[in-house]
Amino acid sequence: MFGQRSSASAVGAPEPAAELDLNSDLNFLLARATALSVAASNAALATHGLKVRSYAILVVAASGERPSQRDLASFLHLDPSQVVALVDDLEQRGLVERLPDPRDRRANVVVATELGLATVGRALADVRGVDAQTYAGLTAAEAEQLTELLRRVAFPD
Amino acid sequence: MFGQRSSASAVGAPEPAAELDLNSDLNFLLARATALSVAASNAALATHGLKVRSYAILVVAASGERPSQRDLASFLHLDPSQVVALVDDLEQRGLVERLPDPRDRRANVVVATELGLATVGRALADVRGVDAQTYAGLTAAEAEQLTELLRRVAFPD
DNA sequence: TATTGTTATACTCTATAACTATA
DNA sequence: TATAGTTATAGAGTATAACAATA
């Protein structure tokens, strides 16, 4: 069902509006592709005790950027109060540290520990593994193309 | 912050792993683009008392496909128990009807009413309006290209 | 025996407001 | 006066198991 639009409606049924085809709807395709991506990523991350949100925090903490919790919140589109809980969890497991920001005594800088760096490296490899399945329908060039188009949507500037 | 990778880390900081750049990560860009899309769509749909999930149900109900609740669940990646609540809401507001499936007395077929068709038409127009903003960074050809690439990811067959 | 719709339940995710300490 | 982190809480979204009617 829903593979292609039926060319004729059932006799007597109210006429459906024209362009009501979710298979061509960017919002719908985006949501569905993301659902597959998140499910696959979470499966790959479960081995490491991570989910997409905690993994994203860990990746940025391991990037060398030394983000504050506020930076993490705005970059990852999370509420600051959610970052607290996520960093709490990662810190208790020894994957990240909260370090004082020398330039603002209100702020914490979140940095991955050595264990955190090792963990994110292994997690990344596993995510790449499931990505091969998730994006199996695309060639490498198409995946690169998709990345560029999505970047323009995700970061409108 | 995070606009481009810093070329040099702070002295003495642990060396970050190489390809830890979320700005090039398909999973991350997909999630972020979807978050923007959902927020914009929900804002456009609020006027009509809809959100993306109830809107999706209504769109399929208005498509002439005459889906069962089970069809809706699998196509929209929802649990059948969620479809119950969503269809309840739409039915109570007179936007869809549950009709008996002549070929299976267990199943309901979900069909948009005349009011539902009118509503989905107006909602669609408003969603198209915010889409112009959401995808403003893309030309029409690029949006079409993105649609095709996402379709291959969202429907792996 | 399997499937459709349904109910109940719990768990995750997300959003909001208020507080404290610093700026 | 505004901002960073925190706490508490409620709402939305999601997942699971079990049940009655029907296949």
Side-chain angles (χ1 to χ4, degrees), chain B residues 73-88:
Chain B
S74 68
F75 184 61
L76 300 176
H77 274 198
L78 297 172
D79 192 87
S81 63
Q82 300 171 35
V83 176
V84 173
L86 291 164
V87 172
D88 279 351

Side-chain angles (χ1 to χ4, degrees), chain B residues 33-153:
Chain B
T34 298
L36 295 177
S37 152
V38 169
S41 297
N42 275 337
L45 292 169
T47 327
H48 309 279
L50 297 169
K51 297 192 173 182
V52 285
R53 281 152 73 249
S54 50
Y55 173 69
I57 298 257
L58 185 54
V59 166
V60 181
S63 72
E65 298 278 357
R66 304 181 73 81
S68 71
Q69 296 188 189
R70 222 74 189 194
D71 291 332
L72 289 168
S74 68
F75 184 61
L76 300 176
H77 274 198
L78 297 172
D79 192 87
S81 63
Q82 300 171 35
V83 176
V84 173
L86 291 164
V87 172
D88 279 351
D89 174 61
L90 293 172
E91 191 175 41
Q92 280 159 23
R93 292 160 54 198
L95 301 176
V96 303
E97 284 178 309
R98 275 186 246 240
L99 301 179
D101 186 333
R103 289 181 297 195
D104 187 338
R105 291 192 357 224
R106 294 172 303 180
N108 300 325
V109 150
V110 181
V111 182
T113 62
E114 289 294 337
L115 177 60
L117 287 175
T119 301
V120 79
R122 280 185 270 110
L124 177 67
D126 283 359
V127 171
R128 289 281 183 273
V130 301
D131 280 357
Q133 300 297 320
T134 307
Y135 304 106
L138 306 180
T139 66
E142 286 170 338
E144 181 52 46
Q145 201 173 30
L146 178 58
T147 302
E148 175 54 27
L149 293 171
L150 284 176
R151 184 157 31 214
R152 306 236 294 276
V153 176

Side-chain angles (χ1 to χ4, degrees), chain A residues 91-146:
Chain A
E91 190 175 43
Q92 280 158 22
R93 292 161 54 198
L95 300 177
V96 304
E97 284 177 310
R98 275 187 247 239
L99 301 179
D101 186 333
R103 288 180 298 194
D104 187 338
R105 291 191 0 224
R106 293 172 302 179
N108 300 325
V109 149
V110 181
V111 182
T113 62
E114 289 294 338
L115 177 59
L117 287 176
T119 300
V120 79
R122 279 185 272 110
L124 177 67
D126 282 0
V127 171
R128 290 280 183 276
V130 301
D131 279 357
Q133 300 297 320
T134 306
Y135 305 105
L138 305 180
T139 67
E142 287 170 337
E144 180 53 44
Q145 202 174 29
L146 178 59

Side-chain angles (χ1 to χ4, degrees), chain A residues 51-96:
Chain A
K51 296 193 174 182
V52 285
R53 279 152 74 250
S54 49
Y55 172 70
I57 298 259
L58 184 55
V59 166
V60 181
S63 71
E65 299 277 357
R66 304 181 75 81
S68 70
Q69 295 188 191
R70 223 75 190 193
D71 291 332
L72 290 167
S74 67
F75 184 61
L76 300 175
H77 273 198
L78 297 172
D79 193 86
S81 64
Q82 300 171 35
V83 176
V84 173
L86 291 164
V87 172
D88 279 351
D89 175 61
L90 294 172
E91 190 175 43
Q92 280 158 22
R93 292 161 54 198
L95 300 177
V96 304

